[in-house]
Amino acid sequence: MTAYAYLIIAIVFEVVATSALKASEGFTRMVPSIIVVVGYVATFYFFSLVLKTMPVGVAYAIWCGLGIILVTLMGIFLYGQTPDLPAILGMALILIGVCVINYFSKTIVH
């Protein structure tokens, strides 16, 4: 698998774990709490595989940028948390930054 495939897997696990963190209600609900722990362990395992070939700063920027947007979407659909215009604009700028890194950075593995 490529670094990008591992990164996507890490991001998906992180989004699921973070969404379950809200549902765990401070680790008072068993099933969401288990999902959180398993999700974060899987996240860091796959992220460690990414770091074998991709610079840590670039990988982390992509992970955080896409994670923020995907967690926000999960918040909208699962919890009815609608971001306001400044939040949407901020996330758009983050997404633009991730695109700039991916398409123009010479430090990234293609």
Side-chain angles (χ1 to χ4, degrees):
M1 277 192 164
T2 68
Y4 279 107
Y6 288 134
L7 186 55
I8 294 299
I9 293 168
I11 291 168
V12 168
F13 274 112
E14 190 267 334
V15 168
V16 169
T18 300
S19 298
L21 188 59
K22 167 108 172 106
S24 77
E25 296 180 13
F27 290 102
T28 60
R29 295 182 59 218
M30 181 66 75
V31 173
S33 297
I34 291 169
I35 293 170
V36 169
V37 172
V38 171
Y40 281 128
V41 168
T43 294
F44 289 115
Y45 170 73
F46 284 104
F47 194 64
S48 74
L49 298 178
V50 172
L51 297 180
K52 288 182 177 183
T53 58
M54 189 180 288
V56 68
V58 172
Y60 195 68
I62 295 168
W63 178 27
C64 291
L66 294 178
I68 288 167
I69 291 166
L70 293 173
V71 167
T72 300
L73 291 173
M74 294 294 282
I76 292 168
F77 293 113
L78 293 178
Y79 304 113
Q81 300 171 336
T82 306
D84 59 8
L85 183 59
I88 292 169
L89 290 173
M91 285 183 271
L93 290 171
I94 290 168
L95 186 58
I96 290 167
V98 168
C99 290
V100 168
I101 289 169
N102 275 297
Y103 294 115
F104 301 110
S105 176
K106 302 235 187 287
T107 61
I108 196 162
V109 176
H110 288 284

